[in-house]
Amino acid sequence: MFAKAFRVKSNTAIKGSDRRKLRADVTTAFPTLGTDQVSELVPGKEELNIVKLYAHKGDAVTVYVSGGNPILFELEKNLYPTVYTLWSYPDLLPTFTTWPLVLEKLVGGADLMLPGLVMPPAGLPQVQKGDLCAISLVGNRAPVAIGVAAMSTAEMLTSGLKGRGFSVLHTYQDHLWRSGNKSSPPSIAPLALDSADLSEEKGSVQMDSTLQGDMRHMTLEGEEENGEVHQAREDKSLSEAPEDTSTRGLNQDSTDSKTLQEQMDELLQQCFLHALKCRVKKADLPLLTSTFLGSHMFSCCPEGRQLDIKKSSYKKLSKFLQQMQQEQIIQVKELSKGVESIVAVDWKHPRITSFVIPEPSPTSQTIQEGSREQPYHPPDIKPLYCVPASMTLLFQESGHKKGSFLEGSEVRTIVINYAKKNDLVDADNKNLVRLDPILCDCILEKNEQHTVMKLPWDSLLTRCLEKLQPAYQVTLPGQEPIVKKGRICPIDITLAQRASNKKQRCQASTTVNPAPGAKDSLQVQIQGNQVHHLGWLLLEEYQLPRKHIQGLEKALKPGKKK
C-alpha cells in the first residue's frame, strides 16, 4: 500500500476526546496489550498527531504519529500497527518467518507467497483467513512487514504451502516507514525452541546453491501457479544467479508446449490485471464492460501480440468477467437491459496487488518519449469585440477605427480614460458618469436621448460592450491567431434514444453532416453510449471551457438514459 509515495491531506494535533477514543480502539483491536502498554503506545500528554493522507491508489488512510514516528494507521475503520510499533511489541501479532531475500520483493509491493515461508519446529501460528499477521526474517523476530492472511493455517498446510499466503499492507523501508526516523529493525533473538533448528536450516541453505535458487524462484511473483501468471520481473542480482541448465531447458519446453488457447488465457488475464491496476480508477465506475475491453484492456496488450477472446477458453468477455467476479476481483451488474457494467473493483485483491507491470518494449518507449517531446496543448479561445461604425467617435481618440478588434479589458480602459479625460465623472457622486453627445450617440437608444443624462460606471460599461459587435480569436499551438466576427459557436450535446432495439456490432458509429438551419456548422452524430467519453475528451483532453459546451451537464446526469 505504501510502496509508492502518498499525498498528505492534513496534519493536526489530536484532541483529548479523539485520544481517548484511540485508546479504546487500540484496546479492542489488540486485546493482548495491557493497560500500561496501551498508555505507553498512546501517551496521555505527549504530542500525538493525526495525519490524513491518500495512498498512491487513492485509498484514504489515517495515520497516528507519536514522537515523529507513525505508530498506527487506520484503513476502512480497521486499525493496524506500523513496524515501529511492532518493534516495541514483537508479540502483538501472530508472526510468520520468511527469508531475507524476500524482503526486497515485499518492499516493492509484492505479497508473500507460501513457498517463501520458513516452517518452524513448533509449526505455523494458528490464524484464520483475514487475520492480521506480522512477518519477520530468519534469525530476527523483529517484524519487517504486516499483512492479512489470505487463507487459514489449515488451508495453508492442506495446499502444501503453495499459493498466496498474505496480502502485505506495510513494510520496513516503504514510504510510511520513511515518514518516521528511518531506524532499522532491532535485533530480537529467536525463541530458544527455534534458534538451533533455524541456524541449521540457514546453514544448509547457504551451502546448497541449488536450493537457494529454488527459493528465489518460488518467492518471485513471476511464477505460474494454478493457471495464474503474474508477469513479475526478477531484479538484476537474481537474474545473474547461476541456473541449472537442465531446469532451464525444462521450463523452456514447458512454455513451448502451451497451446494457443492457454497462451491467450494468460494474455487475457495479464491485460485484465494490468488495466485494473494502472488504468481504471474509482471515479470511472460504473464502467461498461465493452468500454473496459476496448479502451483499457486492448491498450495494455504487449506490442507485437493481439488479444483475441475468441481464441481463449472463455470465448466471450462476459464469461471471463463472470470468472473474475467469482474470484471476487470485480463485481458486474446489468444496469440497463442487455448492457453489463463493472460496478466495483477490489483493488486490494492479492492478484491485483501482486501483479507487476511488464516493462514496455524499446519501440513503445521511443514513442512515449516522442510524445513527451511534443505534448498536446489545447487551443486558446478568446472572446473579442469589434468596433462598428456607430462607435467610431468613441474609440478614435485611442487610435482605433472601424473594424478594430479589442478585448473586454481594453474596452473598459478606453471608456474610463475617455470619461476622465473629458471631465465626465460627476463631481457630487464619483459612481456616476455624465453623458456627453458622443456617449449619447454611441450607447443610448433614441427614446433615451433626452431623458438619460447620467449612468453608473457598471451600466455604462455594460451598454458599451453590448453595442460592440461580438468576435473571437482562436490560437492553435505554433500557428497564427485566427480572428472571426460573430459569437463563439458552442458545442451543443443532445441525447436521443434509438427507435429500434437492434444490436450494434461496433462500439461507436459516427457520421458528419451539415447542421440543419445553421450556416457553416457541422453536426457530428455518434451512435452508441459514448457521452461520457465525449465529455472527457472535450473537457480533459482538449480542455475546452464548460461554457462552450451546451447540454453537457444534462447529458452526464446520473441515471439519464443514453
PDB file of all heavy atoms in Angstrom, residues 239-267:
ATOM      1  N   SER A 239      18.771 -12.226 -11.554  1.00  0.00           N
ATOM      2  CA  SER A 239      18.889 -12.740 -12.910  1.00  0.00           C
ATOM      3  C   SER A 239      20.298 -13.222 -13.207  1.00  0.00           C
ATOM      4  O   SER A 239      20.507 -14.030 -14.096  1.00  0.00           O
ATOM      5  CB  SER A 239      18.492 -11.655 -13.914  1.00  0.00           C
ATOM      6  OG  SER A 239      19.391 -10.575 -13.810  1.00  0.00           O
ATOM      7  N   GLU A 240      21.285 -12.715 -12.459  1.00  0.00           N
ATOM      8  CA  GLU A 240      22.659 -13.120 -12.687  1.00  0.00           C
ATOM      9  C   GLU A 240      23.031 -14.369 -11.888  1.00  0.00           C
ATOM     10  O   GLU A 240      24.133 -14.868 -12.001  1.00  0.00           O
ATOM     11  CB  GLU A 240      23.601 -11.978 -12.302  1.00  0.00           C
ATOM     12  CG  GLU A 240      23.486 -10.776 -13.226  1.00  0.00           C
ATOM     13  CD  GLU A 240      24.342  -9.622 -12.772  1.00  0.00           C
ATOM     14  OE1 GLU A 240      24.889  -9.720 -11.651  1.00  0.00           O
ATOM     15  OE2 GLU A 240      24.462  -8.639 -13.506  1.00  0.00           O
ATOM     16  N   ALA A 241      22.087 -14.863 -11.073  1.00  0.00           N
ATOM     17  CA  ALA A 241      22.372 -16.047 -10.269  1.00  0.00           C
ATOM     18  C   ALA A 241      22.493 -17.259 -11.185  1.00  0.00           C
ATOM     19  O   ALA A 241      21.814 -17.372 -12.209  1.00  0.00           O
ATOM     20  CB  ALA A 241      21.250 -16.268  -9.257  1.00  0.00           C
ATOM     21  N   PRO A 242      23.355 -18.214 -10.832  1.00  0.00           N
ATOM     22  CA  PRO A 242      23.534 -19.388 -11.694  1.00  0.00           C
ATOM     23  C   PRO A 242      22.283 -20.227 -11.748  1.00  0.00           C
ATOM     24  O   PRO A 242      21.540 -20.315 -10.796  1.00  0.00           O
ATOM     25  CB  PRO A 242      24.697 -20.140 -11.019  1.00  0.00           C
ATOM     26  CG  PRO A 242      24.673 -19.683  -9.600  1.00  0.00           C
ATOM     27  CD  PRO A 242      24.219 -18.263  -9.645  1.00  0.00           C
ATOM     28  N   GLU A 243      22.037 -20.847 -12.901  1.00  0.00           N
ATOM     29  CA  GLU A 243      20.880 -21.697 -13.081  1.00  0.00           C
ATOM     30  C   GLU A 243      21.350 -23.083 -13.495  1.00  0.00           C
ATOM     31  O   GLU A 243      22.393 -23.267 -14.100  1.00  0.00           O
ATOM     32  CB  GLU A 243      19.957 -21.139 -14.169  1.00  0.00           C
ATOM     33  CG  GLU A 243      19.272 -19.849 -13.787  1.00  0.00           C
ATOM     34  CD  GLU A 243      18.313 -19.416 -14.877  1.00  0.00           C
ATOM     35  OE1 GLU A 243      18.267 -20.100 -15.914  1.00  0.00           O
ATOM     36  OE2 GLU A 243      17.622 -18.411 -14.681  1.00  0.00           O
ATOM     37  N   ASP A 244      20.517 -24.027 -13.165  1.00  0.00           N
ATOM     38  CA  ASP A 244      20.747 -25.388 -13.605  1.00  0.00           C
ATOM     39  C   ASP A 244      20.271 -25.496 -15.050  1.00  0.00           C
ATOM     40  O   ASP A 244      19.121 -25.220 -15.365  1.00  0.00           O
ATOM     41  CB  ASP A 244      19.950 -26.350 -12.709  1.00  0.00           C
ATOM     42  CG  ASP A 244      20.351 -27.788 -12.965  1.00  0.00           C
ATOM     43  OD1 ASP A 244      20.613 -28.122 -14.129  1.00  0.00           O
ATOM     44  OD2 ASP A 244      20.390 -28.550 -11.978  1.00  0.00           O
ATOM     45  N   THR A 245      21.164 -25.906 -15.963  1.00  0.00           N
ATOM     46  CA  THR A 245      20.814 -25.929 -17.380  1.00  0.00           C
ATOM     47  C   THR A 245      19.667 -26.884 -17.655  1.00  0.00           C
ATOM     48  O   THR A 245      18.817 -26.621 -18.507  1.00  0.00           O
ATOM     49  CB  THR A 245      22.037 -26.347 -18.208  1.00  0.00           C
ATOM     50  OG1 THR A 245      22.534 -27.600 -17.712  1.00  0.00           O
ATOM     51  CG2 THR A 245      23.130 -25.302 -18.107  1.00  0.00           C
ATOM     52  N   SER A 246      19.616 -27.987 -16.928  1.00  0.00           N
ATOM     53  CA  SER A 246      18.535 -28.938 -17.168  1.00  0.00           C
ATOM     54  C   SER A 246      17.204 -28.332 -16.763  1.00  0.00           C
ATOM     55  O   SER A 246      16.191 -28.526 -17.426  1.00  0.00           O
ATOM     56  CB  SER A 246      18.792 -30.234 -16.390  1.00  0.00           C
ATOM     57  OG  SER A 246      18.849 -29.954 -14.996  1.00  0.00           O
ATOM     58  N   THR A 247      17.190 -27.582 -15.650  1.00  0.00           N
ATOM     59  CA  THR A 247      15.957 -26.938 -15.203  1.00  0.00           C
ATOM     60  C   THR A 247      15.521 -25.878 -16.196  1.00  0.00           C
ATOM     61  O   THR A 247      14.348 -25.746 -16.511  1.00  0.00           O
ATOM     62  CB  THR A 247      16.175 -26.295 -13.818  1.00  0.00           C
ATOM     63  OG1 THR A 247      16.624 -27.289 -12.916  1.00  0.00           O
ATOM     64  CG2 THR A 247      14.891 -25.661 -13.313  1.00  0.00           C
ATOM     65  N   ARG A 248      16.490 -25.084 -16.723  1.00  0.00           N
ATOM     66  CA  ARG A 248      16.145 -24.039 -17.667  1.00  0.00           C
ATOM     67  C   ARG A 248      15.548 -24.652 -18.934  1.00  0.00           C
ATOM     68  O   ARG A 248      14.584 -24.150 -19.495  1.00  0.00           O
ATOM     69  CB  ARG A 248      17.390 -23.224 -18.009  1.00  0.00           C
ATOM     70  CG  ARG A 248      17.087 -22.054 -18.930  1.00  0.00           C
ATOM     71  CD  ARG A 248      18.296 -21.118 -19.065  1.00  0.00           C
ATOM     72  NE  ARG A 248      19.441 -21.792 -19.664  1.00  0.00           N
ATOM     73  CZ  ARG A 248      20.561 -22.045 -19.010  1.00  0.00           C
ATOM     74  NH1 ARG A 248      20.698 -21.690 -17.745  1.00  0.00           N
ATOM     75  NH2 ARG A 248      21.568 -22.656 -19.617  1.00  0.00           N
ATOM     76  N   GLY A 249      16.114 -25.741 -19.388  1.00  0.00           N
ATOM     77  CA  GLY A 249      15.572 -26.395 -20.577  1.00  0.00           C
ATOM     78  C   GLY A 249      14.186 -26.931 -20.340  1.00  0.00           C
ATOM     79  O   GLY A 249      13.319 -26.863 -21.202  1.00  0.00           O
ATOM     80  N   LEU A 250      13.942 -27.457 -19.130  1.00  0.00           N
ATOM     81  CA  LEU A 250      12.631 -27.991 -18.807  1.00  0.00           C
ATOM     82  C   LEU A 250      11.589 -26.890 -18.824  1.00  0.00           C
ATOM     83  O   LEU A 250      10.486 -27.044 -19.355  1.00  0.00           O
ATOM     84  CB  LEU A 250      12.684 -28.660 -17.436  1.00  0.00           C
ATOM     85  CG  LEU A 250      11.366 -29.281 -16.927  1.00  0.00           C
ATOM     86  CD1 LEU A 250      10.926 -30.386 -17.868  1.00  0.00           C
ATOM     87  CD2 LEU A 250      11.547 -29.818 -15.512  1.00  0.00           C
ATOM     88  N   ASN A 251      11.934 -25.715 -18.257  1.00  0.00           N
ATOM     89  CA  ASN A 251      10.998 -24.594 -18.228  1.00  0.00           C
ATOM     90  C   ASN A 251      10.703 -24.109 -19.648  1.00  0.00           C
ATOM     91  O   ASN A 251       9.582 -23.741 -19.964  1.00  0.00           O
ATOM     92  CB  ASN A 251      11.573 -23.445 -17.397  1.00  0.00           C
ATOM     93  CG  ASN A 251      11.627 -23.802 -15.926  1.00  0.00           C
ATOM     94  OD1 ASN A 251      10.911 -24.685 -15.480  1.00  0.00           O
ATOM     95  ND2 ASN A 251      12.496 -23.117 -15.186  1.00  0.00           N
ATOM     96  N   GLN A 252      11.729 -24.066 -20.516  1.00  0.00           N
ATOM     97  CA  GLN A 252      11.532 -23.618 -21.880  1.00  0.00           C
ATOM     98  C   GLN A 252      10.595 -24.553 -22.627  1.00  0.00           C
ATOM     99  O   GLN A 252       9.710 -24.129 -23.355  1.00  0.00           O
ATOM    100  CB  GLN A 252      12.883 -23.522 -22.594  1.00  0.00           C
ATOM    101  CG  GLN A 252      12.790 -22.988 -24.009  1.00  0.00           C
ATOM    102  CD  GLN A 252      12.341 -21.549 -24.030  1.00  0.00           C
ATOM    103  OE1 GLN A 252      12.670 -20.783 -23.131  1.00  0.00           O
ATOM    104  NE2 GLN A 252      11.565 -21.188 -25.040  1.00  0.00           N
ATOM    105  N   ASP A 253      10.813 -25.873 -22.419  1.00  0.00           N
ATOM    106  CA  ASP A 253       9.954 -26.839 -23.087  1.00  0.00           C
ATOM    107  C   ASP A 253       8.518 -26.691 -22.620  1.00  0.00           C
ATOM    108  O   ASP A 253       7.568 -26.829 -23.385  1.00  0.00           O
ATOM    109  CB  ASP A 253      10.449 -28.261 -22.814  1.00  0.00           C
ATOM    110  CG  ASP A 253      11.806 -28.505 -23.479  1.00  0.00           C
ATOM    111  OD1 ASP A 253      12.146 -27.736 -24.400  1.00  0.00           O
ATOM    112  OD2 ASP A 253      12.509 -29.447 -23.057  1.00  0.00           O
ATOM    113  N   SER A 254       8.344 -26.386 -21.304  1.00  0.00           N
ATOM    114  CA  SER A 254       7.001 -26.227 -20.760  1.00  0.00           C
ATOM    115  C   SER A 254       6.286 -25.050 -21.405  1.00  0.00           C
ATOM    116  O   SER A 254       5.099 -25.115 -21.721  1.00  0.00           O
ATOM    117  CB  SER A 254       7.085 -26.021 -19.246  1.00  0.00           C
ATOM    118  OG  SER A 254       5.807 -25.766 -18.712  1.00  0.00           O
ATOM    119  N   THR A 255       7.035 -23.948 -21.662  1.00  0.00           N
ATOM    120  CA  THR A 255       6.438 -22.778 -22.293  1.00  0.00           C
ATOM    121  C   THR A 255       6.064 -23.073 -23.738  1.00  0.00           C
ATOM    122  O   THR A 255       4.994 -22.691 -24.211  1.00  0.00           O
ATOM    123  CB  THR A 255       7.414 -21.591 -22.234  1.00  0.00           C
ATOM    124  OG1 THR A 255       7.746 -21.337 -20.868  1.00  0.00           O
ATOM    125  CG2 THR A 255       6.789 -20.341 -22.841  1.00  0.00           C
ATOM    126  N   ASP A 256       6.977 -23.744 -24.445  1.00  0.00           N
ATOM    127  CA  ASP A 256       6.719 -24.048 -25.843  1.00  0.00           C
ATOM    128  C   ASP A 256       5.550 -25.003 -26.006  1.00  0.00           C
ATOM    129  O   ASP A 256       4.875 -24.992 -27.031  1.00  0.00           O
ATOM    130  CB  ASP A 256       7.973 -24.637 -26.495  1.00  0.00           C
ATOM    131  CG  ASP A 256       9.114 -23.611 -26.549  1.00  0.00           C
ATOM    132  OD1 ASP A 256       8.812 -22.404 -26.446  1.00  0.00           O
ATOM    133  OD2 ASP A 256      10.274 -24.031 -26.672  1.00  0.00           O
ATOM    134  N   SER A 257       5.321 -25.853 -24.991  1.00  0.00           N
ATOM    135  CA  SER A 257       4.277 -26.867 -25.109  1.00  0.00           C
ATOM    136  C   SER A 257       2.885 -26.308 -24.851  1.00  0.00           C
ATOM    137  O   SER A 257       1.898 -26.996 -25.051  1.00  0.00           O
ATOM    138  CB  SER A 257       4.547 -28.015 -24.126  1.00  0.00           C
ATOM    139  OG  SER A 257       4.481 -27.538 -22.791  1.00  0.00           O
ATOM    140  N   LYS A 258       2.793 -25.062 -24.420  1.00  0.00           N
ATOM    141  CA  LYS A 258       1.488 -24.463 -24.165  1.00  0.00           C
ATOM    142  C   LYS A 258       0.732 -24.279 -25.463  1.00  0.00           C
ATOM    143  O   LYS A 258       1.285 -23.855 -26.472  1.00  0.00           O
ATOM    144  CB  LYS A 258       1.639 -23.108 -23.464  1.00  0.00           C
ATOM    145  CG  LYS A 258       2.108 -23.206 -22.025  1.00  0.00           C
ATOM    146  CD  LYS A 258       2.189 -21.822 -21.400  1.00  0.00           C
ATOM    147  CE  LYS A 258       2.669 -21.927 -19.959  1.00  0.00           C
ATOM    148  NZ  LYS A 258       2.797 -20.581 -19.333  1.00  0.00           N
ATOM    149  N   THR A 259      -0.547 -24.589 -25.426  1.00  0.00           N
ATOM    150  CA  THR A 259      -1.377 -24.412 -26.613  1.00  0.00           C
ATOM    151  C   THR A 259      -1.681 -22.936 -26.822  1.00  0.00           C
ATOM    152  O   THR A 259      -1.487 -22.108 -25.929  1.00  0.00           O
ATOM    153  CB  THR A 259      -2.688 -25.187 -26.458  1.00  0.00           C
ATOM    154  OG1 THR A 259      -3.436 -24.627 -25.364  1.00  0.00           O
ATOM    155  CG2 THR A 259      -2.417 -26.663 -26.185  1.00  0.00           C
ATOM    156  N   LEU A 260      -2.159 -22.601 -28.010  1.00  0.00           N
ATOM    157  CA  LEU A 260      -2.528 -21.222 -28.320  1.00  0.00           C
ATOM    158  C   LEU A 260      -3.626 -20.738 -27.378  1.00  0.00           C
ATOM    159  O   LEU A 260      -3.638 -19.569 -26.954  1.00  0.00           O
ATOM    160  CB  LEU A 260      -2.992 -21.135 -29.774  1.00  0.00           C
ATOM    161  CG  LEU A 260      -3.486 -19.759 -30.246  1.00  0.00           C
ATOM    162  CD1 LEU A 260      -2.365 -18.725 -30.143  1.00  0.00           C
ATOM    163  CD2 LEU A 260      -4.011 -19.837 -31.676  1.00  0.00           C
ATOM    164  N   GLN A 261      -4.530 -21.637 -27.013  1.00  0.00           N
ATOM    165  CA  GLN A 261      -5.619 -21.271 -26.104  1.00  0.00           C
ATOM    166  C   GLN A 261      -5.086 -20.930 -24.719  1.00  0.00           C
ATOM    167  O   GLN A 261      -5.510 -19.933 -24.108  1.00  0.00           O
ATOM    168  CB  GLN A 261      -6.622 -22.427 -26.009  1.00  0.00           C
ATOM    169  CG  GLN A 261      -7.889 -22.086 -25.229  1.00  0.00           C
ATOM    170  CD  GLN A 261      -8.858 -23.250 -25.178  1.00  0.00           C
ATOM    171  OE1 GLN A 261      -8.687 -24.169 -24.379  1.00  0.00           O
ATOM    172  NE2 GLN A 261      -9.865 -23.228 -26.036  1.00  0.00           N
ATOM    173  N   GLU A 262      -4.137 -21.697 -24.227  1.00  0.00           N
ATOM    174  CA  GLU A 262      -3.552 -21.414 -22.912  1.00  0.00           C
ATOM    175  C   GLU A 262      -2.786 -20.095 -22.919  1.00  0.00           C
ATOM    176  O   GLU A 262      -2.852 -19.320 -21.964  1.00  0.00           O
ATOM    177  CB  GLU A 262      -2.630 -22.572 -22.500  1.00  0.00           C
ATOM    178  CG  GLU A 262      -3.367 -23.863 -22.211  1.00  0.00           C
ATOM    179  CD  GLU A 262      -2.407 -25.015 -21.970  1.00  0.00           C
ATOM    180  OE1 GLU A 262      -1.229 -24.933 -22.407  1.00  0.00           O
ATOM    181  OE2 GLU A 262      -2.807 -25.989 -21.328  1.00  0.00           O
ATOM    182  N   GLN A 263      -2.056 -19.835 -24.004  1.00  0.00           N
ATOM    183  CA  GLN A 263      -1.329 -18.573 -24.107  1.00  0.00           C
ATOM    184  C   GLN A 263      -2.285 -17.389 -24.153  1.00  0.00           C
ATOM    185  O   GLN A 263      -2.027 -16.343 -23.555  1.00  0.00           O
ATOM    186  CB  GLN A 263      -0.443 -18.586 -25.353  1.00  0.00           C
ATOM    187  CG  GLN A 263       0.675 -19.622 -25.316  1.00  0.00           C
ATOM    188  CD  GLN A 263       1.488 -19.633 -26.594  1.00  0.00           C
ATOM    189  OE1 GLN A 263       1.460 -18.698 -27.367  1.00  0.00           O
ATOM    190  NE2 GLN A 263       2.214 -20.732 -26.813  1.00  0.00           N
ATOM    191  N   MET A 264      -3.425 -17.555 -24.850  1.00  0.00           N
ATOM    192  CA  MET A 264      -4.399 -16.464 -24.924  1.00  0.00           C
ATOM    193  C   MET A 264      -5.068 -16.253 -23.572  1.00  0.00           C
ATOM    194  O   MET A 264      -5.390 -15.111 -23.202  1.00  0.00           O
ATOM    195  CB  MET A 264      -5.438 -16.767 -26.005  1.00  0.00           C
ATOM    196  CG  MET A 264      -6.323 -15.582 -26.346  1.00  0.00           C
ATOM    197  SD  MET A 264      -5.385 -14.127 -26.889  1.00  0.00           S
ATOM    198  CE  MET A 264      -4.667 -14.757 -28.417  1.00  0.00           C
ATOM    199  N   ASP A 265      -5.294 -17.323 -22.821  1.00  0.00           N
ATOM    200  CA  ASP A 265      -5.849 -17.181 -21.468  1.00  0.00           C
ATOM    201  C   ASP A 265      -4.913 -16.362 -20.589  1.00  0.00           C
ATOM    202  O   ASP A 265      -5.349 -15.483 -19.826  1.00  0.00           O
ATOM    203  CB  ASP A 265      -6.093 -18.556 -20.840  1.00  0.00           C
ATOM    204  CG  ASP A 265      -7.320 -19.253 -21.418  1.00  0.00           C
ATOM    205  OD1 ASP A 265      -8.066 -18.584 -22.165  1.00  0.00           O
ATOM    206  OD2 ASP A 265      -7.521 -20.441 -21.133  1.00  0.00           O
ATOM    207  N   GLU A 266      -3.613 -16.648 -20.686  1.00  0.00           N
ATOM    208  CA  GLU A 266      -2.636 -15.905 -19.896  1.00  0.00           C
ATOM    209  C   GLU A 266      -2.591 -14.437 -20.313  1.00  0.00           C
ATOM    210  O   GLU A 266      -2.541 -13.535 -19.472  1.00  0.00           O
ATOM    211  CB  GLU A 266      -1.245 -16.541 -20.055  1.00  0.00           C
ATOM    212  CG  GLU A 266      -1.138 -17.927 -19.448  1.00  0.00           C
ATOM    213  CD  GLU A 266       0.251 -18.524 -19.649  1.00  0.00           C
ATOM    214  OE1 GLU A 266       1.102 -17.834 -20.264  1.00  0.00           O
ATOM    215  OE2 GLU A 266       0.485 -19.660 -19.211  1.00  0.00           O
ATOM    216  N   LEU A 267      -2.624 -14.192 -21.621  1.00  0.00           N
ATOM    217  CA  LEU A 267      -2.605 -12.808 -22.104  1.00  0.00           C
ATOM    218  C   LEU A 267      -3.857 -12.062 -21.675  1.00  0.00           C
ATOM    219  O   LEU A 267      -3.802 -10.885 -21.297  1.00  0.00           O
ATOM    220  CB  LEU A 267      -2.479 -12.808 -23.632  1.00  0.00           C
ATOM    221  CG  LEU A 267      -2.446 -11.427 -24.310  1.00  0.00           C
ATOM    222  CD1 LEU A 267      -1.247 -10.620 -23.810  1.00  0.00           C
ATOM    223  CD2 LEU A 267      -2.407 -11.572 -25.826  1.00  0.00           C
TER     224      LEU A 267
END
